[in-house]
Amino acid sequence: QLKEHIGEIANTMIGDRYIFAGTDTETQSKPFDGTNFVNQNTDEIKWEVGQGNLMKVNVNGVDIFPDIFTTIDQIVTDLQGGVNPNQRLDQLDQQMDNLLKERAVVGANMSRMEMMISRLDKTEVTTTKLLSDTEDVDVAQVITELTAQENVHRAALSAGSRIIQPTLVDFLR
């Protein structure tokens, strides 16, 4: 029963993809075939979480399940043969340590992903503020500056017309 339950975990799917199958997430065959963990794909799935920053987002079933199934099979064989399976406790402890190590990696990756999301959210807010500061204008200030520039332009034209004295031809027109 325990082996069957662990096999169900090994065949866990999100949507229509196996999560412990390396990059073979869309394969038709299950990673655990009812007897053994058969998927040997150890390729990593990486997502780009920043410019040139890739992060592994999957856990390979090969790193977790084959040894667990082997140990369970050995315990079953020991029990069926009348042998005390206590000698397998060290192997179970090793499997538990391995599982905890993998969980720690997943936890660290989740923490890193949350930090990246937080950083991206802050970047979005900062960029939006900069865009707003650039595009939003104070209408009163812009009109005041435009009026001042128009007055300067009129004064320059007036000064220019006084400097250039009308000629006799200008009077005849």
Side-chain angles (χ1 to χ4, degrees):
Q1 291 298 319
L2 180 61
K3 183 177 180 179
E4 211 172 283
H5 177 68
I6 294 172
E8 289 173 10
I9 293 171
N11 289 333
T12 299
M13 296 178 81
I14 294 181
D16 60 347
R17 296 172 184 245
Y18 293 104
I19 64 172
F20 294 112
T23 55
D24 293 337
T25 58
E26 294 178 346
T27 184
Q28 295 299 318
S29 60
K30 296 178 178 182
F32 178 72
D33 67 0
T35 307
N36 295 308
F37 191 83
V38 292
N39 185 296
Q40 296 300 311
N41 185 312
T42 60
D43 294 337
E44 297 178 345
I45 298 173
K46 292 185 176 185
W47 288 353
E48 187 169 2
V49 294
Q51 187 173 4
N53 191 2
L54 298 175
M55 185 171 142
K56 178 184 171 189
V57 295
N58 69 323
V59 175
N60 290 322
V62 174
D63 296 338
I64 300 173
F65 295 106
D67 292 337
I68 289 175
F69 291 123
T70 301
T71 302
I72 291 173
D73 287 340
Q74 290 170 344
I75 291 172
V76 168
T77 302
D78 288 350
L79 288 171
Q80 290 172 345
V83 178
N84 187 348
N86 285 342
Q87 64 187 4
R88 306 289 180 198
L89 290 178
D90 287 340
Q91 291 174 325
L92 285 175
D93 286 342
Q94 289 174 352
Q95 298 308 314
M96 190 64 123
D97 289 345
N98 183 50
L99 185 59
L100 290 174
K101 179 188 75 131
E102 291 295 328
R103 285 183 66 182
V105 169
V106 169
N109 285 345
M110 286 178 58
S111 177
R112 183 175 172 206
M113 186 68 81
E114 288 170 357
M115 288 187 325
M116 292 299 294
I117 289 170
S118 176
R119 184 186 313 162
L120 288 173
D121 286 344
K122 288 178 184 176
T123 301
E124 181 181 13
V125 168
T126 302
T127 304
T128 302
K129 184 181 181 323
L130 287 172
L131 182 63
S132 176
D133 290 346
T134 302
E135 291 180 348
D136 296 348
V137 294
D138 183 2
V139 176
Q141 181 180 359
V142 170
I143 291 174
T144 303
E145 289 175 8
L146 178 63
T147 304
Q149 289 178 0
E150 285 176 346
N151 288 337
V152 168
H153 184 252
R154 282 191 200 117
L157 289 176
S158 176
S161 68
R162 287 189 192 126
I163 293 172
I164 301 173
Q165 294 296 324
T167 63
L168 183 58
V169 175
D170 290 329
F171 285 116
L172 293 175
R173 279 194 229 163

